[in-house]
Amino acid sequence: MRIDILTLFPQMFQGPFSESIFQRAVDRRLVAVNIHNIRDYTHDKHRTVDDYAYGGGAGMVIKAEPVFEAVESIKSEAYPEQGGRKELPVILLTPQGRLFCQKIAEELSGHSHLILICGRYEGIDERVREHLVTDEVSIGDYVLSGGELAAMVLADVVVRLLPGVLGSEDSARDDSHTTGLLEYPQYTRPEVYRGWSVPEVLLSGNHAQIARWRRQQAILRTLERRPELLDKASLGVEERTLVGRLKKSQSTGGGDK
Ligand code: 9D3
């Protein structure tokens, strides 16, 4: 997969993408990430990327022109034989976008090329949205200073899904967003730390019992912290009955595990 990121702050991308899993994917040519400074696509002496809003109001708006030229130049370079006219996701990171989740990441991981545009200031000229962008994504209901961190989150989540990126160790792990449950508690040595012991069952060597305990803990933890996840989680018949019973004891003020 190829990911091109358009930003006014290219330096922000230095650290996060040199992290282990991501860098390993780049080294193994499973993904190529190119960071582009929107300012490099201006033509005027002052390299102007933003301007006042028509109609007035505080704050600056990112100009359409350098953003269009950046996307068109990336497409022309990548697909010269099609005259740069290739349909691929051009995603604007914006608080107004659809809420990012594992499902959207899976959808995006099916494309061979993504272009991400990071917004800043009070916004971006609406013509970019209307005539260039194919998709708008937000990473959550909180206020970031710009789309850069959101683009990094999206890229990280998507790249992890590419075939061959995760070692068998990682991918075999039943992580919360594939089982639909939160993870079970984990322990490592020492067996007793400051008087706090590791649950007996984990030391038993009884693998069936351990698996059952972990599954039960995952369900319990999900019920306590993210009950809405249980509606979509894939649970067995007995597990559903267990959840039903636990919910009842919760509502009768059980407080008991
Ligand atoms: C001060 C401007 N705000 C007026 C209500 C709106 C606003 C615009 C741009 C608030 C934040 C931002 C910068 N954030 C993003 O560009 C952004 C974002 C976010 O803030 N939260 C979650 N996901 C994303 S994706 C891009």
Side-chain angles (χ1 to χ4, degrees), residues 21-22 114 120 139 157 179 189 195 209 228 237 239 250:
I21 290 179
F22 206 99
L114 305 175
R120 274 270 160 172
I139 62 162
V157 179
T179 63
R189 289 194 291 184
Q209 214 178 321
E228 80 282 6
V237 200
E239 291 175 334
Q250 240 182 6

Side-chain angles (χ1 to χ4, degrees), residues 57-112:
M60 306 294 275
V61 176
I62 299 179
K63 290 165 73 63
E65 190 182 13
V67 180
F68 269 88
E69 293 206 16
V71 170
E72 285 162 1
S73 129
I74 290 163
K75 285 192 181 186
S76 301
E77 177 265 318
Y79 310 101
E81 59 284 353
Q82 285 113 292
R85 267 177 290 282
K86 162 104 171 167
E87 294 229 6
L88 66 134
V90 177
I91 303 165
L92 177 66
L93 283 308
T94 163
Q96 302 163 52
R98 56 182 177 140
L99 195 56
F100 190 59
C101 60
Q102 202 65 27
K103 173 104 178 289
I104 294 178
E106 279 165 24
E107 172 196 321
L108 296 177
S109 73
H111 293 270
S112 58

Side-chain angles (χ1 to χ4, degrees), residues 1-203:
M1 168 179 278
R2 169 173 173 175
I3 304 176
D4 288 276
I5 304 179
L6 276 56
T7 173
L8 291 168
F9 299 92
Q11 333 78 268
M12 279 185 74
F13 293 85
Q14 294 296 326
F17 289 155
S18 31
E19 172 266 345
S20 60
I21 290 179
F22 206 99
Q23 187 58 51
R24 185 153 44 102
V26 172
D27 293 343
R28 296 169 62 198
R29 305 286 185 268
L30 298 170
V31 65
V33 182
N34 309 304
I35 311 297
H36 307 267
N37 190 342
I38 294 170
R39 206 173 285 282
D40 292 340
Y41 296 88
T42 57
H43 301 293
D44 64 310
K45 177 165 126 225
H46 296 106
R47 314 223 296 155
T48 314
V49 291
D50 58 350
D51 208 336
Y52 301 100
Y54 275 119
M60 306 294 275
V61 176
I62 299 179
K63 290 165 73 63
E65 190 182 13
V67 180
F68 269 88
E69 293 206 16
V71 170
E72 285 162 1
S73 129
I74 290 163
K75 285 192 181 186
S76 301
E77 177 265 318
Y79 310 101
E81 59 284 353
Q82 285 113 292
R85 267 177 290 282
K86 162 104 171 167
E87 294 229 6
L88 66 134
V90 177
I91 303 165
L92 177 66
L93 283 308
T94 163
Q96 302 163 52
R98 56 182 177 140
L99 195 56
F100 190 59
C101 60
Q102 202 65 27
K103 173 104 178 289
I104 294 178
E106 279 165 24
E107 172 196 321
L108 296 177
S109 73
H111 293 270
S112 58
H113 190 179
L114 305 175
I115 298 181
L116 310 182
I117 304 174
C118 306
R120 274 270 160 172
Y121 307 115
E122 293 308 297
I124 195 156
D125 190 296
E126 188 67 16
R127 288 163 290 192
V128 170
R129 278 209 166 80
E130 286 178 347
H131 305 293
L132 188 65
V133 160
T134 63
D135 201 358
E136 299 181 36
V137 170
S138 160
I139 62 162
D141 294 334
Y142 37 78
V143 182
L144 297 170
S145 327
E148 284 77 11
L149 287 169
M152 292 182 222
V153 167
L154 185 152
D156 186 80
V157 179
V158 169
V159 166
R160 289 172 55 85
L161 292 173
L162 300 177
V165 167
L166 291 190
S168 51
E169 219 173 285
D170 289 295
S171 51
R173 283 266 303 280
D174 42 356
D175 76 73
S176 64
H177 290 282
T178 52
T179 63
L181 294 172
L182 297 183
E183 274 166 46
Y184 51 76
Q186 307 250 40
Y187 298 86
T188 185
R189 289 194 291 184
E191 203 177 304
V192 183
Y193 177 67
R194 297 191 178 182
W196 302 308
S197 306
V198 171
E200 200 64 47
V201 60
L202 299 178
L203 312 172

